[in-house]
Amino acid sequence: MLKFVLQRVLSMILVILIVASATFFMMRLLPSGPFSREKKLPAQIIKNLEARYHLDDPLWKQYVDYMGNLLRGNLGPSFKYTDRTVNNIINDGFPVSAMLGVVAVILAVGIGIPLGIWGALKQNGWQDNLVMFIALLGVSVPNFIMAVLLMFIFALGLHLVPAAGWGSVRQIILPAFTLAGYPIAFIARLVRSSMLEVLRQEYITTARAKGLSERLVIFRHALRNILIPVVTVLGPLIAAVFTGSFVVEKIFAIPGLGQYYVTSINDRDYTTILGVTIFYSVLLVFMNFLVDLTYAWLDPRIRYVERKLS
């Protein structure tokens, strides 16, 4: 197990370095620079700005300097917010995005799993058809459309919650449900299909033959096995919820990391784009790592085969 963990950590580091390198060079391939404006700045000012941020150095030196700072945890200064670093921006924006993402994930798991179980237990009934309709709606409607619909119905129409902003519990409801829409649908469909397959297994038939109640059969014997495919997708799904908040945060005027990211793209803020991309890459690979470790707890039959380190 220790060898497996070590191998995964080394592969995670390699993936992050590849993502950082690819993003760095792609930023430099853009036709316009970070100081390009509709109203062109004087050449001397651009030259001074490039000298200040060492953009006039050879590309290989810029790369080596950036990777050296990255290994020390320094993501560099922001080109747009001259008094702030990318680390400051992440420290300020990510807690907001994390809170929104955590609520969305709780909604996705708390609603998606019961919906999937309910649909499987009522297979081909109206309950199952309702679950499949909700799932189809959730996977078909983009989150920016969902955001507008929820805002129009519950904020502008019924006046139950604020349309936008951040700071109160009521303001988190609409963006959280917007983000949770697709995960709820995806988890519900996955749990439904897994539950139908598990219910046909011999050990379930045996448990029922022993006279165990249906509730005990479902929650003690079936639930743990149907959670394995859910855990498989939960890591990438959590990362997708966080990265998917970019547009949602912009629509609902939430001061999270996603809004900074969208703004940095429009402003060609290279260091912020690069820093946030690396940060979310770390989040994604770490969540996948946690998923792999969770397998062994959910299913004792799963064992990791140790391979020799090359």
Side-chain angles (χ1 to χ4, degrees):
M1 187 65 176
L2 183 60
K3 260 188 181 178
F4 167 78
V5 172
L6 182 59
Q7 286 177 330
R8 287 306 308 270
V9 169
L10 292 175
S11 65
M12 288 165 57
I13 294 173
L14 179 61
V15 168
I16 298 304
L17 291 176
I18 291 174
V19 170
S21 301
T23 309
F24 177 89
F25 288 110
M26 283 192 292
M27 289 295 98
R28 298 308 190 270
L29 291 175
L30 292 176
S32 55
F35 308 116
S36 300
R37 301 289 185 270
E38 291 184 7
K39 184 178 180 181
K40 197 171 182 179
L41 295 174
Q44 187 59 43
I45 293 179
I46 293 178
K47 185 177 179 180
N48 292 338
L49 287 171
E50 289 179 344
R52 175 182 177 182
Y53 294 106
H54 303 287
L55 295 179
D56 54 350
D57 291 340
L59 186 59
W60 67 266
K61 189 176 187 307
Q62 294 182 46
Y63 174 74
V64 170
D65 290 343
Y66 185 84
M67 297 304 288
N69 290 328
L70 177 63
L71 294 176
R72 292 190 292 270
N74 180 10
L75 297 175
S78 168
F79 292 163
K80 175 176 173 57
Y81 306 99
T82 54
D83 57 338
R84 305 178 69 189
T85 65
V86 179
N87 295 69
N88 297 144
I89 291 174
I90 293 176
N91 290 337
D92 292 343
F94 182 68
V96 175
S97 297
M99 182 181 295
L100 177 60
V102 167
V103 174
V105 170
I106 291 173
L107 289 174
V109 174
I111 297 175
I113 291 178
L115 270 181
I117 294 174
W118 190 43
L121 295 179
K122 305 295 183 180
Q123 187 182 12
N124 298 326
W126 68 267
Q127 301 95 329
D128 188 23
N129 292 332
L130 178 62
V131 170
M132 293 306 295
F133 173 75
I134 294 174
L136 180 63
L137 191 66
V139 298
S140 302
V141 180
N143 57 13
F144 61 90
I145 299 295
M146 182 73 72
V148 173
L149 289 175
L150 293 179
M151 190 183 295
F152 181 77
I153 295 171
F154 295 101
L156 303 180
L158 300 176
H159 303 286
L160 296 177
V161 290
W166 186 259
S168 68
V169 175
R170 295 174 68 238
Q171 288 175 315
I172 201 174
I173 295 175
L174 288 186
F177 271 99
T178 300
L179 274 179
Y182 176 81
I184 287 173
F186 187 84
I187 291 175
R189 294 180 66 175
L190 184 63
V191 169
R192 177 187 177 275
S193 61
S194 299
M195 176 62 82
L196 290 175
E197 183 179 349
V198 167
L199 291 178
R200 299 188 184 101
Q201 300 297 317
E202 291 183 2
Y203 71 91
I204 296 294
T205 305
T206 303
R208 284 171 171 165
K210 289 180 178 179
L212 296 179
S213 66
E214 189 68 12
R215 181 184 297 272
L216 198 60
V217 170
I218 298 301
F219 289 99
R220 175 174 292 183
H221 296 279
L223 184 60
R224 188 165 183 171
N225 285 322
I226 68 171
L227 286 179
I228 293 177
V230 174
V231 170
T232 303
V233 302
L234 200 55
L237 202 61
I238 291 174
V241 166
F242 283 112
T243 55
S245 67
F246 293 167
V247 176
V248 174
E249 288 178 14
K250 192 72 175 176
I251 293 174
F252 289 101
I254 297 173
L257 191 55
Q259 193 175 55
Y260 281 110
Y261 191 70
V262 173
T263 304
S264 67
I265 294 174
N266 294 332
D267 294 327
R268 304 177 186 86
D269 191 348
Y270 288 173
T271 49
T272 303
I273 296 172
L274 189 51
V276 175
T277 300
I278 293 171
F279 178 78
Y280 276 117
S281 299
V282 172
L283 177 65
L284 177 59
V285 297
F286 180 71
M287 293 309 303
N288 284 328
F289 175 64
L290 289 184
V291 165
D292 290 341
L293 294 182
T294 308
Y295 283 158
W297 176 77
L298 284 174
D299 192 346
R301 296 171 299 176
I302 298 176
R303 293 292 182 267
Y304 294 110
V305 179
E306 293 186 355
R307 295 170 293 181
K308 291 183 179 181
L309 287 173
S310 56

